[in-house]
Amino acid sequence: MSFLRRLHPLDWLAGGLLALGALCVATGLLPTGPASDVLERIGPLVVFLATVIVLAELTGKAEVFDVVATWVARAGRGRYPLLFCLCVLFASVTTITLNLDTTAVLLTPVMLALATRVGIAPVPLAMTTVWLANTASLLLPVSNLTNLLAADRIALTPSEMAATMWAPQLAAIAVTMACLWGFYWRPGRRGETRYTPPPLPRPADPVLFRVSAVACAGFLLAILLADVPLWSASTGAALIVVVAFWVRGREALRLSLIPWRLLVLVPGMFLVVETVNAHGLHDILAAAMGSDNDLVGMLRSAAVGAGFSNVLNNLPAYLAGEAAIPVANHEQLLAQLIGVNVGPVITPWASLATLLWFERCRWHGTRIGLGRFFGTGAVLAVAGTVAATLALAATT
């Protein structure tokens, strides 16, 4: 009973979804063939999530994030507006060039370490990470798994996708900056007008620091420069760091490093969505989005994508919505992509990046008020989705 009382509401959600998904398969609501296909498809994603979180945890313990955070704080020269712009730029570039889930895992500890080093409130820095991990993920196929699916559907190369989505991406980032400043960064929220740049830290174990830093850099370079799957790059980097800690800091290696909640949630979520999709979801989404490829159709598709993402999750929302959009309606599909990328900032489960971010914040001890998270996220979801969709319509 004491174990049950310690469970977080998201733990109950994860377990409930997995149990419901298993029940759907056991009762035949979801045939075993489609269920096996779903589990086979998400297998590499689950491996990536597990290994990249272990990599981030141990890299944090090696104080790599503390050093990077100190560099950012010193570059801000004690001025909050400059620090704000640097954090926005850092989060946006990381998301665009890497992947929103990688940003949530690797950048969140940097931001939280920055708050600790500088002595400022961690929530504004944390919100900068999670919002831009989602809203800055429109420009390139690598930025988001949904982008890879959309680019494949309409045969867009990375340069062609960037040429198509640059205006929506700028609009989404601009709205995100306005919401961040108004809700979290303005002087009335953060209290102080300046901060004192911290001195450079000295890691307690320089060997662990160097090994972890090189492993993270190798992981990022493998994603950027080589045709390496995310799961294999993260697994290789995590193994290097685990071996280093086994030799020099074995006490840090424990089972709690593994993100059990996510490993339970992801399969259950996909099984449930696949079941619902097989029993009428396709028809509902097709009716809600319509078949028009004009501005109205684009706005409808973006709204449905954003709304459905916050009910379940953006990846299954994209997959279900994609199947309901006529093949020739490229603009309508890209508008739906905007909805599932920019819109999932209201609920904690709306994107895997947000779930990863919650894990990082919980590990750090940073408390995120869900009421304020829901309310401010709703403003950003509506304003950002509409602005990005209008920008897409104006430039295509």
Side-chain angles (χ1 to χ4, degrees):
M1 292 298 294
S2 60
F3 167 76
L4 295 178
R5 284 194 294 268
R6 291 198 302 270
L7 290 178
H8 189 275
L10 290 178
D11 295 325
W12 288 100
L13 173 67
L17 280 175
L18 183 60
L20 183 58
L23 182 63
C24 290
V25 176
T27 58
L29 284 174
L30 179 62
T32 55
S36 298
D37 292 341
V38 167
L39 294 178
E40 183 178 350
R41 187 174 188 182
I42 67 172
L45 175 61
V46 171
V47 173
F48 164 71
L49 292 175
T51 53
V52 80
I53 286 179
V54 172
L55 172 64
E57 294 288 3
L58 295 178
T59 302
K61 291 182 180 297
E63 300 180 74
V64 174
F65 298 135
D66 292 284
V67 173
V68 175
T70 301
W71 289 344
V72 174
R74 291 170 68 86
R77 300 177 183 177
R79 293 177 290 188
Y80 275 104
L82 179 56
L83 180 65
F84 171 70
C85 292
L86 288 171
C87 289
V88 167
L89 179 63
F90 192 13
S92 298
V93 170
T94 303
T95 300
I96 289 169
T97 58
L98 297 176
N99 177 277
L100 77 165
D101 299 323
T102 305
T103 297
V105 171
L106 296 182
L107 189 56
T108 301
V110 173
M111 293 294 197
L112 296 177
L114 173 60
T116 301
R117 286 282 174 186
V118 177
I120 61 177
V123 173
L125 292 161
M127 294 303 299
T128 301
T129 306
V130 70
W131 277 1
L132 286 166
N134 289 284
T135 63
S137 66
L138 285 172
L139 193 64
L140 297 174
V142 72
S143 306
N144 199 321
L145 293 175
T146 56
N147 295 5
L148 291 170
L149 297 171
D152 181 65
R153 157 98 177 238
I154 58 180
L156 285 177
T157 65
S159 59
E160 290 170 341
M161 187 166 190
T164 302
M165 301 300 285
W166 67 269
Q169 183 63 93
L170 288 178
I173 292 176
V175 172
T176 304
M177 290 181 68
C179 290
L180 281 170
W181 188 264
F183 291 132
Y184 294 102
W185 277 85
R186 60 186 172 87
R189 287 292 176 188
R190 65 171 190 261
E192 303 293 334
T193 58
R194 292 184 63 86
Y195 67 91
T196 302
L200 286 174
R202 294 183 177 180
D205 190 325
V207 174
L208 280 179
F209 171 82
R210 286 194 292 268
V211 170
S212 300
V214 169
C216 279
F219 166 58
L220 300 181
L221 288 174
I223 296 173
L224 281 175
L225 303 179
D227 187 17
V228 177
L230 282 175
W231 70 268
S232 62
S234 61
T235 301
L239 285 175
I240 291 172
V241 176
V242 166
V243 169
F245 270 87
W246 181 264
V247 174
R248 299 186 64 87
R250 195 171 303 180
E251 66 281 357
L253 300 177
R254 55 186 185 276
L255 286 176
S256 60
L257 290 172
I258 301 173
W260 301 109
R261 178 193 296 169
L262 290 178
L263 301 187
V264 171
L265 173 66
V266 172
M269 177 182 64
F270 274 83
L271 289 174
V272 170
V273 171
E274 185 67 21
T275 303
V276 176
N277 197 41
H279 292 275
L281 178 61
H282 175 88
D283 296 334
I284 294 173
L285 290 176
M289 292 188 292
S291 58
D292 296 328
N293 204 35
D294 56 9
L295 177 59
V296 174
M298 293 167 67
L299 288 171
R300 287 175 64 178
S301 296
V304 171
F308 190 34
S309 295
N310 284 291
V311 172
L312 285 177
N313 181 271
N314 68 331
L315 186 55
Y318 173 79
L319 292 173
E322 180 191 69
I325 293 175
V327 174
N329 289 10
H330 291 182
E331 288 76 17
Q332 189 183 14
L333 179 69
L334 291 174
Q336 194 231 355
L337 182 68
I338 289 173
V340 300
N341 284 18
V342 178
V345 291
I346 302 175
T347 57
W349 55 84
S351 74
L352 290 177
T354 307
L355 282 168
L356 291 166
W357 173 81
F358 263 101
E359 289 283 346
R360 303 302 92 226
C361 290
R362 184 170 69 92
W363 190 273
H364 184 265
T366 299
R367 184 179 182 278
I368 306 298
L370 290 181
R372 185 165 179 78
F373 182 85
F374 291 153
T376 58
V379 174
L380 174 59
V382 173
T385 300
V386 170
T389 305
L390 292 176
L392 176 66
T395 55
T396 55

